[in-house]
Structures are given as C-alpha cells and as structure tokens.
Amino acid sequence: MKKLILVITIFLSVATAFPQGKRIGNEAEVQKKERMGWWVHDRFGMFIHWGIYALPARHEWVKNYERISDEQYQKYFDNFNPDLYNPKEWVRKAKEAGMKYVVLTTKHHDGFCLFDSKYTDYKATNTPIGRDLVKEYVDALRTEGLKVGFYYSLLDWHHPDYTIDGFHSQRVEDEKEYAKLNKGRDMNKYREYLHNQVRELLTNYGKIDLLWLDFSYPGENGKGSKDWDSENLLKMVRSLQPGIIVNDRLDLNEYEDGWDFTTHEQYKVSKWPEVNGKKTPWETCQTFSGSWGYYRDEYTWKDSKQLLGLLIESVSKGGNLIMNVGPTARGVFDERANASLAAFGNWMKYNSRSIYGCTQAPEEFEAPAMSLLTYNPETNRLYIHLLDYPLQNLVLPNYKGKVKYAQLLHDGSEIAVSARSAEDIKENEYPNDLTLSLPVRKPNDEIPVIELILE
Ligand code: GLC
C-alpha cells in the first residue's frame, strides 16, 4: 500500500512539474521557435482592414451595428470601384514606417471577398473594379521582401448557411426566434465553404507567412471550434503551409499547439502575457483611431507619442505590434493615416535598432524614471527610451560595472557615464548607481533612445 502511495505521489508530482497539454501536431518546442523566428525578430507589422465597408465609411461592423439587410448593403458591392488601388504604394508606406509584415482582410465579417474565390460570387472580381485585389497585394509584398499575411473572418453575415446568432447583422431580440429564423440554414455547408476558402487562400497565392483567423465566441448562442471544425482546419493550414504562423482565435486554447501567438486587441498588457505559467509569443493589434475599417468622421486619433509608446512598450514586454490602416473606398490611405505612419517612419529611421531583434530586458536592469527598456540579446545592448526627457542627469539604479559605453541612438553621439556624485557615495547612499550626462537640449526625436553597450 505504502509503495502504491509513493508511486502515485511521484507520478502526480512529475505530472504537475511537466504538465502535458493536448496537442494537435507533433512539432517540438525548438522547431516552433525556429518557425516563429522572423516574427519575433521583426516585431512590427501592418494590419489592413479593407472591404466594401469603406464606402459607408463608418466602421467595418456597420452592417451589424446598423442592422443593415443584405439588400440594403448591396449598394456598396455595386459601387465598389477602388480606382486608385496600388498595393505597391501601401507596401512602400509600410516599409517606410518600419513595418516588416502586412496582414490584409481577405474576407471580413460581412462576407465580402477581396480575392477571386470559386466558391462565391460575393467577391471583388464581380464588382466594378473587377480584379483579384489579393493577388496584387501578395505580388507587391513579395517584390518588396515583406512578409505576407492573410486575415480571414470565421464569421460571415452574408453566407446563406451561416446560422444567425446574437453576433449576426440579422440578430433578433427574442432568443426563441432563432430556431425559426435558421430553418434551412446549414452550418455544415458553411463549414465546408470556410474550409474551401482557406484552402484556396493557402494554395493559390504561393507562400503565405501568417494567417489571422477572426474570431470565436463559444457559448450557448455563439460559435467556436466545433462550428468551424477548428482542429481539422488548423491541420489543413499547417499541411498546406508548413511554415505559417497562426493566431489564437480558433477556440483551440486547450491545445498547446492550437495557436502560435496570443492577440491582445486594443489594449496594453501590463506584463508579458503567460499561458499556463509560460511566457507566450504575443501581439497587440491596434488602430490609429478606434475603427479598423475606414471611418471618415472618427476623430479620436492617437498622437505620435502614443503610437510610438505602443510599439516600444510592446517590445519592452517581449511582444509585437500590428498597427492597422483602413484604406478609403478609392483604395488609398487617407492623410491622417499617412501622417501617423510618418510618425513611425521618422522615428524608426534612426531608432529601429531598439526594436528589431529586441525583447524584454533582463530583470537585473531596472528602468530609470519615466523610461522603457528593450534589450537585444544577440548584441548585448540595452535601450533606454526616454518618455519624458530629463534635465541633464539620468540615474541608472544599480548599473555599476555593467556598462561599457553609452550613446544616443539617433546620432551615435557619446554620453558620459559616471558614478554618482562624491557626496552621494560618501553618504554611501548610491554606491552602485551610474549617472548619464545628457545634452540639455532634447534630441529632435519624439522619444529619444539611449543605447548602452553592456559589459
Ligand atoms: C475584432 C473585430 C474586427 C477586427 C478584429 C481585429 O475581432 O471583430 O472587426 O477585424 O477584431 O483584431
């Protein structure tokens, strides 16, 4: 009996020390790390939400928010003619902003497809523009060497077999009505459609680097992994594109490998997110103004400093930022989006070294007052981002013996490093601090960066 108890105790302690979650595939941890290498390194991407909702120009959920019927929504399809669409220009702007990957909505929740799918007529090739807009986008990215990402909506408010629920544009107040409303709708057929379209996207456009599936809302009146058959969908995705990186919205969270990174939408995480006690690869997706699709009369645009703060803070906690642009119905970025992108570009031109290849700083380094740290483990350099530019002296708490050289990143000019003042040391108050002597005049950078070459 004693022996049995001992065996059980050992088993339980081993099992809790190494929790073995369920798995879909058999990729080893190191392989996953390798597969995600470029994404973790590059840190900064562009999201593009574009579709016929650019015509009403008041949010990509307009059909849902205003409960617009298919018939009423049809005018946006009939008039979709983005004559200025030139994805080369989009890609150039992404590149200038310092973004390394782009993710475009091939289909959003309204069901409209920017690509030439053989499974629907509800696609760009049947609108006045008459072109496969996804193909041109992929070509432009490839030519410029940026990574290619597809967003695909799991929801579909247009497909006749997608059952109506509380998230549907045709939702009703009385829950009991749904059974009647959904008579004749067959989710099996929709599921097949969804799988077919994802197969098309991952077969007809060459190598796709990233897939952003959106979203699941499991529960009594919702939809989740069973409705999408997420398990088989993911298997298919991985077999068609073995190198692809997939987000976490398939409702496969109980699997260790049911997703590659977590998605934190429109909020700042307080620390590096963990899943089952383990730090996870993560990305925050953010808008310039609150809406993903082009919104003409939206005025809550973030300023340059807030935008840069989003990027730096994400990297300082080991994550990525994907920043969204909603092109207009003519197919271009409007002047507000261009100005926001330029804010990134101006800063990244001189400071990208504190972003690419960087991550959270080792714990031994405390961030000086009003600053954010990032760290490049390859080069062993630490970056101090000054959110509030101090007057002349910046104290580095307990950095003594750790710094070989210090410079301003934007111009590579030396910064004098010294121990704390003789008086402080005499009092034996700060024996391990260092002080940096900064120029009085704030460098011409929204957020100046100090580069420390560490011992
Ligand atoms: C949400 C919204 C959607 C947007 C997405 C981006 O799930 O439904 O409109 O595409 O987030 O993260």
Side-chain angles (χ1 to χ4, degrees):
M1 186 65 187
K2 254 194 192 156
K3 229 179 177 176
L4 183 67
I5 292 177
L6 186 70
V7 170
I8 292 175
T9 321
I10 290 174
F11 173 77
L12 284 178
S13 56
V14 171
T16 40
F18 304 99
Q20 276 303 311
K22 287 203 287 177
R23 302 189 73 90
I24 292 175
N26 52 12
E27 186 184 46
E29 195 62 27
V30 297
Q31 289 173 307
K32 176 176 177 185
K33 238 182 158 174
E34 204 172 296
R35 181 165 55 79
M36 295 195 65
W38 70 264
W39 186 84
V40 168
H41 174 274
D42 290 350
R43 291 294 182 215
F44 190 26
M46 176 184 273
F47 224 156
I48 302 180
H49 277 67
W50 195 45
I52 55 177
Y53 43 77
L55 279 76
R58 45 181 199 274
H59 209 282
E60 77 285 355
W61 274 63
V62 62
K63 187 181 187 199
N64 182 297
Y65 288 169
E66 299 178 17
R67 302 196 185 197
I68 301 174
S69 67
D70 285 341
E71 295 71 41
Q72 291 164 322
Y73 202 70
Q74 184 60 27
K75 63 183 172 208
Y76 304 128
F77 181 93
D78 295 339
N79 288 296
F80 185 62
N81 193 10
D83 57 330
L84 299 179
Y85 175 57
N86 174 10
K88 285 193 197 116
E89 206 176 295
W90 291 6
V91 174
R92 183 176 55 76
K93 286 181 180 167
K95 224 175 160 177
E96 279 171 10
M99 295 153 161
K100 298 280 196 182
Y101 58 101
V102 185
V103 179
L104 169 70
T105 50
T106 57
K107 177 191 93 165
H108 204 261
H109 308 333
D110 64 0
F112 175 73
C113 299
L114 290 175
F115 64 108
D116 189 11
S117 169
K118 75 173 185 218
Y119 300 100
T120 185
D121 293 331
Y122 204 52
K123 56 184 176 183
T125 40
N126 289 338
T127 65
I129 192 71
R131 283 154 42 193
D132 183 332
L133 304 170
V134 169
K135 175 157 193 329
E136 295 172 35
Y137 154 85
V138 172
D139 291 346
L141 281 172
R142 283 229 186 85
T143 314
E144 287 299 319
L146 267 67
K147 295 283 193 292
V148 183
F150 285 164
Y151 167 109
Y152 181 87
S153 170
L154 300 165
L155 286 74
D156 197 312
W157 304 324
H158 178 81
H159 197 283
D161 284 305
Y162 188 91
T163 51
I164 299 169
D165 56 32
F167 271 109
H168 200 284
S169 49
Q170 291 177 50
R171 68 192 172 281
V172 288
E173 304 310 326
D174 186 354
E175 302 256 312
K176 286 185 280 235
E177 289 285 301
Y178 285 120
K180 211 161 65 198
L181 261 178
N182 284 324
K183 242 196 187 141
R185 286 179 182 253
D186 182 355
M187 268 305 277
N188 292 317
K189 286 195 190 144
Y190 175 70
R191 195 163 32 246
E192 201 182 322
Y193 174 76
L194 152 69
H195 285 229
N196 281 338
Q197 285 207 320
V198 172
R199 187 179 310 105
E200 277 184 319
L201 284 169
L202 300 185
T203 308
N204 298 346
Y205 300 91
K207 182 165 189 278
I208 305 305
D209 301 290
L210 197 145
L211 183 63
W212 226 98
L213 296 163
D214 193 34
F215 61 87
S216 297
Y217 48 110
E220 210 178 309
N221 228 326
K223 289 183 176 57
S225 56
K226 287 218 165 59
D227 302 277
W228 325 126
D229 187 9
S230 296
E231 228 186 279
N232 285 314
L233 186 62
L234 188 61
K235 280 185 189 160
M236 177 182 80
V237 167
R238 296 223 187 275
S239 79
L240 292 172
Q241 298 273 350
I244 205 164
I245 296 176
V246 185
N247 72 333
D248 68 341
R249 295 195 175 173
L250 271 173
D251 183 28
L252 289 175
N253 297 349
E254 81 265 33
Y255 291 97
E256 269 185 45
D257 57 353
W259 46 276
D260 289 324
F261 63 94
T262 56
T263 51
H264 306 266
E265 184 171 333
Q266 305 257 45
Y267 77 89
K268 285 204 205 180
V269 301
S270 58
K271 61 180 189 59
W272 190 326
E274 295 182 1
V275 177
N276 294 329
K278 242 172 60 191
K279 289 195 173 87
T280 171
W282 67 276
E283 176 186 80
T284 182
C285 44
Q286 299 277 347
T287 57
F288 288 143
S289 73
S291 171
W292 300 91
Y294 177 63
Y295 200 131
R296 186 188 56 206
D297 303 328
E298 165 71 76
Y299 296 107
T300 55
W301 287 63
K302 299 174 181 76
D303 72 20
S304 316
K305 195 168 175 187
Q306 288 171 311
L307 294 173
L308 292 171
L310 278 173
L311 176 62
I312 298 161
E313 201 170 333
S314 300
V315 180
S316 80
K317 289 169 179 154
N320 284 25
L321 168 69
I322 186 162
M323 198 71 228
N324 179 74
V325 182
T328 69
R330 301 289 302 279
V332 296
F333 299 171
D334 84 342
E335 73 285 357
R336 297 166 297 185
N338 285 332
S340 302
L341 288 170
F344 278 113
N346 293 337
W347 188 85
M348 285 293 275
K349 180 163 182 201
Y350 299 105
N351 297 297
S352 64
R353 214 147 84 196
S354 75
I355 299 296
Y356 303 140
C358 288
T359 185
Q360 182 167 296
E363 255 171 48
E364 60 177 296
F365 294 102
E366 185 187 323
M370 295 303 291
S371 77
L372 289 167
L373 297 181
T374 64
Y375 171 70
N376 186 322
E378 289 281 310
T379 60
N380 194 30
R381 292 181 184 205
L382 187 76
Y383 297 94
I384 307 175
H385 302 80
L386 302 170
L387 303 177
D388 193 11
Y389 192 71
L391 188 63
Q392 253 172 330
N393 289 335
L394 182 72
V395 173
L396 309 181
N398 295 310
Y399 279 48
K400 197 170 164 188
K402 297 176 183 167
V403 179
K404 223 193 277 181
Y405 186 77
Q407 58 188 355
L408 280 169
L409 182 54
H410 80 290
D411 66 352
S413 63
E414 183 180 9
I415 300 173
V417 186
S418 52
R420 286 289 283 253
S421 74
E423 220 135 281
D424 284 345
I425 304 258
K426 222 186 311 147
E427 305 276 318
N428 210 16
E429 260 199 274
Y430 309 102
N432 296 316
D433 290 359
L434 293 179
T435 301
L436 300 182
S437 308
L438 300 174
V440 173
R441 194 164 183 281
K442 183 187 173 203
N444 188 25
D445 250 335
E446 188 74 71
I447 299 180
V449 185
I450 296 165
E451 181 173 50
L452 298 182
I453 301 177
L454 300 177
E455 290 288 356

